[in-house]
Amino acid sequence: MSLRGAAFIAGAYEHPRRDIPDRTVPQIHAEVAVGALADAGLSMADVDGFYCAGDAPGFGAVSMAEYLGLRCRTYDSTETGGSSYLVHVGHAAAMIKAGHASVALITLAGTPRNGGAQPGSSAAAPAPESEFENLFGVPIAANYALAAQRHMYEFGTTSAQLAEIKVAASLHAQHNPHAFLRDVVTVEEVLASPMVADPLHRMDCCVVTDGGGALVVVSPAVAASLPRRAVKVLGQGEAAKDTNRGRIDLTHTGAVWSGPRAFEEAGVTPADIDYASIYDSFTITVLMTLEDLGFCHKGEGGRFVMDGGLVAPFGRLPFNTDGGGLCNNHPANRGGMTKVIEAVRQLRGEAHPAVQVPDCQIALAHGTGGSLSTRMMSSTLILGQPDA
Amino acid sequence: MPDDPFLPTRPPRRTHETAEFWDGCAAGRLLLPRCDDCHAYIWYPRLFCPHCSSPRVTYTEVSGTGTVYSFTVVRKGAGAYREFSPYVAAYVELAEGPRVMTNIVGVPVDQVHVGQAVRVVFDPAGDADAIPRFTPS
């Protein structure tokens, strides 16, 4: 069964705030739910499918659905970290195609700046691998640094090339009035920022922000009845990448599998992508994902991002035009939701005029949940115009 | 043993699957589970073979030698490691194949490199335990 055209994203909403000391996490879930439904021209009463992930407090999807007053036919609390919300779009499209839902609501919210969960933390019972990793003092930035170091060793990637990714994000964020960091930075400034875990500098790392976002995924019939432009779901792929039975390969991500699955379902190739939202927990996350999705060959990511390669609107692959997680927003330490939202903005022609990609027909959003140097879930989502 | 101050340790939490591994560390021996059926070395330690699904697994002493597959100098540790920065976190590829997460100790942080030959050392953890780290050989 292909999901191509099975569903449309009719509503998308990003919470405008980045520091929210005066709301509970459920309140923020409610605010973004209302925002996305209003964007779609729908209301809570229309929702018959609800999707949330580990950021939602309580008993799976049930507690938040209860808080919101939802009465749904299908519930899904699939938890894959920051990529959860892209996975949810694919799962919602499948349930819509199966006739089990017609309006699916996906929400995300969190307040890590105000006492919420910190990056990489988990309240769950110890995982079987935990004592073989946690004893050695490897914070999340160091986990990503291990991958960066190996990539540099095998392919000659440089810190200046990684810095180009942050520079491109900052050039975009200057146009976003809600962005957490709006100052344009240079390669030299990135390289001069303090080393966090060699070879990653502070400016190679994403921001920590409160906030959230929501999406509304609907059936083709519902989409046709709504006043706003909806974007078509063309394909979705997901793939776990782990330590490979103790023989981890740090030079690639799960995108080597999730990408081809999504491209095949969508019937397009990397050359067809006009805009890409690429998960950017760290600059190295972007570089390796670009290679793994096939935008360039393995090992050539460093050259691909140079000379403004990622800068909108005219770079070879305009990316993260909201400023991404590196500059704009990384709500609840989970960047997948905002990746989809900016891709929807681009396809609706509603990105900031300075970074809007002309005639944007097909967009890609990619999420990476978990950690680059242990285990992750990658999800690739391809979206298009209604007639795509 | 490295002569620099030990990085933080704590007694590992044992399960019935991993007790033999930790007992080995306490005795100064690196034991890896090995599959009785397909003979693969298993990492991380468990009593199940992820290569062939066999439950027949035996802890076996390995060489304790390997090379640095990747590393990072952690400039800002968290929790118990906060006071010990900078220090080196790494993946070491054991001679038997598995790549294990660990620390490189007993060497200045700016003298660690990918491909470096290393051997296991056991840092005391609590009264009776030890955890495996690596040092240039």
Side-chain angles (χ1 to χ4, degrees):
Chain A
M1 181 180 84
S2 169
L3 297 181
R4 193 182 202 286
F8 288 72
I9 298 178
Y13 179 79
E14 179 180 10
H15 202 287
R17 296 174 65 186
R18 303 291 179 265
D19 186 18
I20 313 180
D22 56 340
R23 295 280 195 283
T24 66
V25 170
Q27 273 183 297
I28 303 171
H29 274 275
E31 289 179 351
V32 297
V34 168
L37 287 164
D39 183 54
L42 294 165
S43 75
M44 213 69 87
D46 297 310
V47 175
D48 57 8
F50 179 61
Y51 295 73
C52 61
D55 55 278
F59 172 50
V62 178
S63 292
M64 276 314 309
E66 178 183 8
Y67 182 101
L68 295 170
L70 293 171
R71 294 278 186 277
C72 295
R73 294 180 62 197
T74 187
Y75 300 80
D76 186 334
S77 53
T78 298
E79 162 60 11
T80 66
S83 61
S84 301
Y85 320 94
L86 294 93
V87 172
H88 293 166
V89 172
H91 292 188
M95 291 303 270
I96 288 168
K97 178 149 184 167
H100 290 246
S102 59
V103 175
L105 171 67
I106 307 166
T107 64
L108 154 77
T111 55
R113 300 194 73 78
N114 285 282
Q118 294 303 304
S121 73
S122 168
E129 72 276 8
S130 62
E131 291 297 80
F132 304 99
E133 297 171 2
N134 295 349
L135 288 171
F136 303 108
V138 187
I140 190 79
N143 186 298
Y144 283 73
L146 288 167
Q149 185 86 261
R150 185 71 195 184
H151 201 279
M152 290 179 169
Y153 175 80
E154 291 205 23
F155 306 116
T157 305
T158 67
S159 289
Q161 290 171 332
L162 291 177
E164 294 276 3
I165 296 166
K166 168 72 173 186
V167 170
S170 78
L171 287 167
H172 299 156
Q174 67 177 319
H175 304 294
N176 181 350
H178 301 298
F180 189 74
L181 302 175
R182 293 191 66 189
D183 291 340
V184 173
V185 299
T186 65
V187 168
E188 291 72 27
E189 286 170 324
V190 177
L191 297 180
S193 67
M195 196 70 90
V196 174
D198 304 34
L200 298 181
H201 301 77
R202 178 180 290 167
M203 286 193 193
D204 287 300
C205 308
C206 68
V207 299
V208 175
T209 49
D210 299 342
L215 298 166
V216 180
V217 185
V218 303
S219 66
V222 171
S225 73
L226 297 173
R228 290 268 279 143
R229 185 193 303 188
V231 308
K232 186 187 281 186
V233 175
L234 299 179
Q236 185 259 344
E238 61 199 59
K241 187 222 169 191
D242 60 25
T243 59
N244 186 32
R245 301 170 178 175
R247 279 75 170 168
I248 193 168
D249 182 341
L250 292 182
T251 63
H252 73 87
T253 74
V256 295
W257 302 301
S258 69
R261 288 169 193 165
F263 281 118
E264 181 183 3
E265 186 164 69
V268 302
T269 71
D272 297 315
I273 302 299
D274 299 310
Y275 164 81
S277 286
I278 304 292
Y279 204 92
D280 56 348
S281 45
F282 298 86
T283 51
I284 184 64
T285 321
V286 175
L287 189 140
M288 287 174 56
T289 302
L290 290 168
E291 296 173 346
D292 294 344
L293 290 175
F295 289 109
C296 60
H297 290 115
K298 178 51 66 181
E300 295 180 357
R303 285 193 290 282
F304 186 83
V305 303
M306 288 178 69
D307 308 317
L310 300 179
V311 178
F314 301 119
R316 56 183 74 95
L317 182 69
F319 100 126
N320 298 8
T321 40
D322 60 336
L326 290 170
C327 295
N328 170 36
N329 199 7
H330 197 67
N333 307 313
R334 292 157 173 266
M337 175 65 76
T338 46
K339 294 293 165 291
V340 182
I341 291 172
E342 184 66 5
V344 171
R345 291 193 189 108
Q346 280 286 350
L347 288 165
R348 284 172 161 175
E350 295 176 356
H352 189 282
V355 294
Q356 174 66 49
V357 174
D359 191 31
C360 185
Q361 292 292 314
I362 298 179
L364 176 148
H366 183 85
T368 307
S371 295
L372 214 57
S373 291
T374 46
R375 56 200 58 78
M376 69 174 78
M377 180 71 94
S378 296
S379 182
T380 309
L381 180 65
I382 298 174
L383 305 170
Q385 297 292 350
D387 59 357
Chain B
M1 290 291 177
D3 55 14
D4 53 343
F6 293 133
L7 288 175
T9 58
R10 63 165 168 78
R13 283 186 288 267
R14 287 170 153 78
T15 70
H16 81 272
E17 290 191 84
T18 62
E20 213 169 335
F21 176 83
W22 296 116
D23 288 347
C25 290
R29 301 167 64 205
L30 187 63
L31 307 180
L32 260 56
R34 191 174 194 187
C35 178
D36 294 347
D37 290 303
C38 77
H39 309 297
Y41 286 102
I42 296 165
W43 190 262
Y44 55 89
R46 54 224 201 239
L47 298 183
F48 176 80
C49 178
H51 303 268
C52 76
S53 306
S54 171
R56 288 173 292 278
V57 168
T58 303
Y59 275 91
T60 309
E61 185 159 12
V62 295
S63 65
T65 63
T67 56
V68 175
Y69 173 68
S70 192
F71 74 97
T72 181
V73 181
V74 185
R75 305 286 169 175
K76 190 179 171 188
Y81 278 79
R82 187 179 302 275
E83 309 300 319
F84 292 82
S85 309
Y87 60 90
V88 175
Y91 268 109
V92 164
E93 181 175 310
L94 299 176
E96 293 78 10
R99 292 171 178 165
V100 306
M101 190 174 275
T102 188
N103 304 113
I104 306 298
V105 296
V107 58
V109 298
D110 60 358
Q111 291 179 27
V112 176
H113 59 88
V114 175
Q116 193 166 20
V118 293
R119 63 179 171 82
V120 71
V121 294
F122 295 97
D123 282 1
D127 293 335
D129 281 307
I131 69 171
R133 292 183 168 125
F134 287 79
T135 196
S137 53

